[in-house]
Amino acid sequence: MTDESWAPDDDLRAAAALLSAADPARRAAGYGRLAARAAPGDDALRAWAVDAALGRTEREPGGAALAALVEVLEAAQDARTLPVLLDLVGHPDEVVRLAVAKALPFVGEPAPDSPRVRALLTLCRDGAPRVRDAAVFSVGTLDEAYSPAVRAALHERLDDEDEEVAEEAVRGLARRQDASVLPRLVDLLETYVEPHPLTLSAAAVLGRPELLPVLAELAAERPDDRRITAALEACDPDRREERAARAWQLLEELAARRPDLDAALVWPRFSADLHLELRHGPDPVTYHADGLLSRAGRDPSRAAAAVDADLPLPSR
């Protein structure tokens, strides 16, 4: 429901007016304008955009207009839209299914074997390569998508006739610590003049020393590429040990200096990033641990002092 104290501006009203146009292209343009405003918008704007678009789903026969409507639902990230997206998984129009595959990660609660995960697994087997590509990518972004069914679906796509789909499957399995894809991951790193950022991220998450030779070659060719350096450091056991030791020392320094912050180190699933999480007031505060240490010259004491200065003790 829309906040009654909030009202749409003239641009939003004009966009909504286009949704009633007879020409599908004009309706698509209206949905596009709503999606563009909803993506960075506040909760009230997003709710209003959903209210404007959601009831028109059954009136849109398909094509670009319905796909653009789905983009509004994706941008709004409103739980009310999940049933509509699930109903559109089997839509006969490829462009609509593509939009649904892109939208599902942004709608619904993160839970294993959730309806959105099951829907994406269906789309991973879609007849259209670009729909499969989007679905495999979307599955790879969901932290809760870790079940045997997900892993089996990704393995199935390793032999996909479409090269980009297979590459997404390699990255998705590497991020899930599946060492069986090491040869394929090495091949991806060697094949392209400039490896895809997601391939480098997957290599960093997998963190296996078998990747060191190819990453060392890439680092020699592009010494200023931080993504390559990060992957190289993540796969080097010695550097990982040094990184862990510095992070642990930072945690101990903070515990001694500011026990009120209740500091903890967190390594999110499917990520190579180490986070420093703190309690300061009612809301948690998160630092990228490596970035914090880098700014402090890799000195844990200086990093702890910087956090102390950032988060003053509450006044009494």
Side-chain angles (χ1 to χ4, degrees):
M1 298 295 291
T2 306
D3 183 351
E4 293 183 359
S5 65
W6 181 90
D9 57 31
D10 291 343
D11 178 66
L12 287 170
R13 290 194 182 93
L18 289 173
L19 307 187
S20 300
D23 183 356
R26 287 175 59 79
R27 297 199 302 275
Y31 292 124
R33 287 169 63 178
L34 285 183
R37 290 289 302 275
D42 58 24
D43 290 344
L45 191 159
R46 290 182 170 191
W48 185 87
V50 170
D51 289 340
L54 197 57
R56 299 181 176 272
T57 309
E58 295 182 358
R59 293 182 243 171
E60 291 293 355
L66 183 54
L69 187 156
V70 171
E71 291 173 6
V72 177
L73 308 186
E74 173 188 347
Q77 301 184 23
D78 190 316
R80 291 177 294 160
T81 68
L82 182 59
V84 171
L85 295 176
L86 297 177
D87 284 344
L88 292 174
V89 167
H91 195 279
D93 198 323
E94 174 185 330
V95 70
V96 175
R97 301 195 307 277
L98 175 63
V100 171
K102 293 179 178 180
L104 280 169
F106 300 97
V107 180
E109 294 298 323
D113 196 34
S114 62
R116 67 175 179 174
V117 171
R118 294 197 298 272
L120 283 169
L121 294 186
T122 297
L123 291 168
C124 284
R125 299 178 175 91
D126 195 90
R130 61 177 182 159
V131 176
R132 295 197 303 275
D133 184 50
V136 173
F137 172 80
S138 292
V139 167
T141 68
L142 296 179
D143 286 358
E144 77 269 23
Y146 200 75
S147 68
V150 168
R151 296 168 74 89
L154 292 174
H155 270 282
E156 184 180 316
R157 297 273 66 82
L158 288 176
D159 297 320
D160 198 283
E161 62 184 14
D162 186 272
E163 184 177 333
E164 292 185 4
V165 176
E167 290 175 3
E168 289 293 353
V170 171
R171 289 189 279 259
L173 286 165
R175 293 179 71 230
R176 287 160 176 78
Q177 296 293 312
D178 191 326
S180 70
V181 298
L182 267 171
R184 301 284 293 271
L185 187 58
V186 170
D187 185 58
L188 284 184
L189 292 168
E190 290 178 336
T191 298
Y192 295 99
V193 174
E194 184 174 351
H196 195 290
L198 293 177
T199 301
L200 292 168
S201 173
V205 174
L206 189 55
R208 296 292 292 255
E210 294 92 331
L211 296 170
L212 284 175
V214 64
L215 289 170
E217 288 184 14
L218 289 170
E221 295 169 1
R222 298 178 179 80
D224 296 327
D225 192 323
R226 269 301 302 165
R227 298 168 301 184
I228 296 173
T229 302
L232 183 64
E233 292 178 351
C235 294
D236 186 323
D238 293 335
R239 295 189 187 185
R240 289 184 71 164
E241 186 175 346
E242 292 174 8
R243 176 195 189 202
R246 283 195 300 269
W248 188 255
Q249 187 178 345
L250 167 61
L251 191 66
E252 291 181 327
E253 292 270 358
L254 273 174
R257 183 187 288 261
R258 291 288 301 278
D260 61 295
L261 292 177
D262 192 21
L265 291 171
V266 178
W267 189 2
R269 181 183 283 178
F270 306 159
S271 173
D273 295 331
L274 193 61
H275 294 169
L276 176 67
E277 293 194 354
L278 312 162
R279 292 286 176 185
H280 185 255
D283 299 317
V285 178
T286 300
Y287 286 85
H288 186 280
D290 290 323
L292 176 63
L293 284 161
S294 178
R295 291 192 297 274
R298 297 180 179 265
D299 183 334
S301 296
R302 287 179 58 193
V307 173
D308 189 11
D310 282 348
L311 306 175
L313 283 165
S315 56
R316 296 186 178 183

